[in-house]
Amino acid sequence: MSAGKRSAGLLLFRTTGTDTPTGTGSERDVEVLIGHMGGPFWAGRETAAWSVPKGEYGPDEEPAAAARREFEEELGVPVPDGIWLPLGEARQRSGKTVTVWAVEAELDVASVAPGTFTMEWPRGSGVQQDFPEMDRFAWCTPEQAAERLIAGQRVFVQRLRAQVRGEAASPEA
């Protein structure tokens, strides 16, 4: 049962816009780096088929260590230097609890070399095939991310946006 499963991830972001000259408000916003989930189930799907780079961890691993490991496995590049901003936890529809941090950094998606996983495909064929864990990556505005991300992860972009803008997070976030 997935109720006890936990995942941890890392959401890269870059800021856009500027602070207002008077300091009374902000035109700042973010773009986030998300990945399209690989494998035959997600092929051909766009809406709600993208994810924060993340993965499961066991009781003997710290969530931050798992987030770092999964980022490096899924993107094939080291985690960029930067301050880790905690975005908290969210429970997914599957019952899994996901913990995410955000790091402000630039990353050229052309430099990414995704890790792979092996599964039987087609099902029942006995043939094992390798698929990328994430088959492509994109920098997205919060609005684009809201459309692309699986529903349970959209809250992390809302929380990040609120932090960057200096706003209080909404109750559902």
Side-chain angles (χ1 to χ4, degrees):
M1 184 169 184
S2 62
K5 289 187 178 179
R6 300 185 64 82
S7 284
L10 195 58
L11 182 63
L12 289 192
F13 74 98
R14 56 191 183 193
T15 56
T16 61
T18 59
D19 290 326
T20 58
T22 61
T24 58
S26 176
E27 299 294 323
R28 294 181 74 200
D29 210 342
V30 296
E31 289 182 329
V32 294
L33 182 69
I34 59 175
H36 184 268
M37 292 183 275
F41 178 75
W42 301 102
R45 293 180 60 184
E46 282 297 310
T47 302
W50 293 66
S51 176
V52 171
K54 64 165 189 53
E56 291 185 10
Y57 64 95
D60 296 333
E61 186 175 20
E62 290 295 319
R68 178 178 297 279
R69 173 181 49 79
E70 287 294 329
F71 182 91
E72 291 176 356
E73 285 178 8
E74 293 191 355
L75 282 81
V77 296
V79 173
D81 291 334
I83 298 170
W84 287 39
L85 304 173
L87 298 179
E89 295 182 340
R91 192 171 186 87
Q92 309 295 276
R93 204 173 288 159
S94 66
K96 181 187 296 183
T97 300
V98 178
T99 304
V100 172
W101 288 265
V103 173
E104 185 172 9
E106 282 292 331
L107 181 71
D108 179 1
V109 294
S111 70
V112 171
T116 60
F117 67 95
T118 303
M119 68 179 278
E120 180 185 29
W121 191 257
R123 284 192 177 147
S125 68
V127 176
Q128 297 290 312
Q129 292 190 46
D130 289 336
F131 297 96
E133 291 195 38
M134 293 185 151
D135 56 22
R136 63 189 185 279
F137 297 86
W139 285 101
C140 299
T141 65
E143 293 77 18
Q144 292 166 329
E147 186 175 309
R148 292 179 175 181
L149 281 170
I150 62 170
Q153 294 180 18
R154 296 172 187 160
V155 66
F156 298 118
V157 177
Q158 294 168 356
R159 291 173 184 169
L160 174 62
R161 188 181 219 183
Q163 280 190 34
V164 167
R165 290 179 164 182
E167 302 168 349
S170 63
E172 65 275 2

